[in-house]
Each structure stands twice: as C-alpha cells, then as structure tokens.
Amino acid sequence: MQNFPEPDEPYDASVFVPEPDQTAEVIRELRRKSKLSRAQVAVKAGIGIGVLERVEQGKQSPSLMTLLGLAYVFDVGVEDILDAAHDVPYKP
C-alpha cells in the first residue's frame, strides 16, 4: 500500500495513480496469463473492447469502474493492479 505524503509536502498524484503506460503493461500481462482475448475480457469486465484496447496501449488511464471490472475478471484486487503498475519503470 502506498504511503501518504506528509501534510507539508507538495501533492504529487503520481504517488497514487500510475502513468497509463505502466498500467497498460500490467493489464496486458494479466490478460496474457489468463489466456483470454481482449473481447472476452471486455465482455466479462463489462467494458467496451475499444476502452480495453486504449488502456492496453497506454493511450487511456482506466477509470475506477474499468479497474474494478478488470480486477474481477483477473481475480485480483484493484490495489494489486495499481501496486504492480507502480513497479513498472516509467517511460516518458
């Protein structure tokens, strides 16, 4: 779990929200391990395939509802996805 910044420290959202390309890598890997197609994951997660494609390509950050659906499909917690994404090196 992420540590919250001290009140006198400037707020940095990246402490809590990984960059889209970091999240994309984690979600692609979870989908590959599950051996499901994008279409199958999208249907099970209740999201559009276009949304999943943009998220997996790092073009869009997943919404909370998207993360909840993906976590359900992959049988992991949302925090597991976000924690793993923070471990992926950021590529500016």
Side-chain angles (χ1 to χ4, degrees):
M1 181 140 222
Q2 297 294 326
N3 292 328
F4 289 94
E6 293 298 319
D8 58 339
E9 292 180 22
Y11 176 75
D12 179 6
S14 68
V15 170
F16 304 106
V17 182
E19 294 294 325
D21 63 314
Q22 293 171 297
T23 308
E25 191 169 320
V26 172
I27 292 171
R28 279 193 311 268
E29 186 60 27
L30 286 168
R31 184 175 60 80
R32 287 183 187 128
K33 285 182 180 178
S34 71
K35 298 183 179 168
L36 296 172
S37 69
R38 280 186 178 161
Q40 290 170 312
V41 170
V43 168
K44 290 181 179 205
I47 61 175
I49 192 167
V51 170
L52 181 57
E53 287 173 351
R54 288 188 299 279
V55 167
E56 280 197 0
Q57 294 167 356
K59 294 180 180 177
Q60 175 181 330
S61 290
S63 69
L64 178 57
M65 294 306 293
T66 297
L67 279 172
L68 287 168
L70 293 171
Y72 169 77
V73 171
F74 301 131
D75 194 30
V76 298
V78 170
E79 67 278 4
D80 297 323
I81 295 172
L82 296 177
D83 285 346
H86 278 290
D87 293 338
V88 174
Y90 174 61
K91 301 170 196 157

